[in-house]
Amino acid sequence: MAVYLVLLLCGLGMAVMVYRYDMYDREPLVLLALAMAAGVACYWLTGLVEDHFLASYSSPPIVVHAAITGVCEEVGKVLLVVMLAVICRPFFNDPIDGLIYGSFVGLGFGLGESFYTVMLAGPEWYQVPTEAVRLFLHTLMGGVGGYGIGLLVFPGRKASWPVWLVGGVLLAMVTHFLWNFYVGLVPVEKSGPLTQVAAVLLMLGLTGIFGFLVV
């Protein structure tokens, strides 16, 4: 239980990090909790979709596996943000709300995936750093993918929101694909310095993009 508790604390840290950027019209905590819960459900649903596509391969190549998971998971996250924007329309009134809700959906997705991964392997302390990185990446990819939806309420950028939305989702998909291809799906015996360099560069790049969108 201690490993799961530590992962929850990591998730809480991610939530606080994102919440502090919602500086003008803070979202109700109950709606952010709903976004996280929806993200957990999204993990299970997209998992079923991924299994359907992967079932046609007896042993899917890494590139195929990475592409399917990257596309399915990021599409699932952004569709959830769209649903939240419609359902919670009175509260979805700030240009940064797409990023905020997208991040919380991504965090919920990451928690669902991390808990499932830890459960399969059996809770061990060595899993915590890996799963903390997973939470971090899913949170940021969810925020980047959902960012464009928030511009619907921003007069200065309203006309260009589709460009920002498509660009953000594609960027999240590409980052997700690259992470899976170079890091996430690489067998332990085949990983090496290049894997570590790829991991650091992808994390730094995604952090920089997230920060740019916040600004």
Side-chain angles (χ1 to χ4, degrees):
M1 289 298 295
V3 173
Y4 294 111
L5 179 60
V6 171
L7 289 179
L8 283 175
L9 290 175
C10 289
L12 178 62
M14 303 290 178
V16 171
M17 178 194 75
V18 174
Y19 188 67
R20 66 186 293 270
Y21 293 126
D22 191 16
M23 296 180 287
Y24 301 106
D25 184 12
R26 291 192 181 276
E27 304 308 302
L29 292 178
V30 65
L31 291 184
L32 297 179
L34 174 64
M36 286 182 59
V40 175
C42 180
Y43 163 68
W44 291 102
L45 290 174
T46 55
L48 295 175
V49 176
E50 290 168 17
D51 289 344
H52 171 74
F53 285 115
L54 292 171
S56 57
Y57 298 90
S58 57
S59 181
I62 289 181
V63 64
V64 173
H65 197 164
I68 289 175
T69 55
V71 171
C72 290
E73 294 180 10
E74 298 312 317
V75 167
K77 291 176 193 174
V78 75
L79 288 178
L80 266 183
V81 179
V82 171
M83 290 175 59
L84 288 167
V86 173
I87 296 171
C88 308
R89 182 65 185 88
F91 300 97
F92 206 95
N93 56 0
D94 192 329
I96 203 172
D97 284 352
L99 182 142
I100 298 297
Y101 281 102
S103 296
F104 275 85
V105 166
L107 177 56
F109 193 104
L111 282 170
E113 190 172 62
S114 288
F115 273 50
Y116 181 68
T117 302
V118 169
M119 181 182 66
L120 282 182
E124 297 290 346
W125 285 110
Y126 74 84
Q127 297 168 307
V128 172
T130 301
E131 298 310 316
V133 170
R134 189 193 305 274
L135 295 179
F136 180 76
L137 289 172
H138 275 298
T139 300
L140 267 59
M141 287 187 290
V144 170
Y147 173 76
I149 301 170
L151 299 186
L152 274 167
V153 297
F154 188 20
R157 295 280 176 83
K158 190 171 183 178
S160 63
W161 74 266
V163 176
W164 286 92
L165 177 59
V166 172
V169 174
L170 287 177
L171 190 58
M173 287 180 180
V174 169
T175 304
H176 202 143
F177 166 78
L178 291 175
W179 181 270
N180 285 343
F181 185 75
Y182 287 110
V183 183
L185 298 174
V186 176
V188 175
E189 63 273 11
K190 294 184 179 180
S191 63
L194 290 180
T195 299
Q196 297 171 356
V197 170
V200 171
L201 290 178
L202 284 170
M203 288 181 65
L204 289 177
L206 189 60
T207 302
I209 292 167
F210 188 90
F212 167 77
L213 294 179
V214 169
V215 173

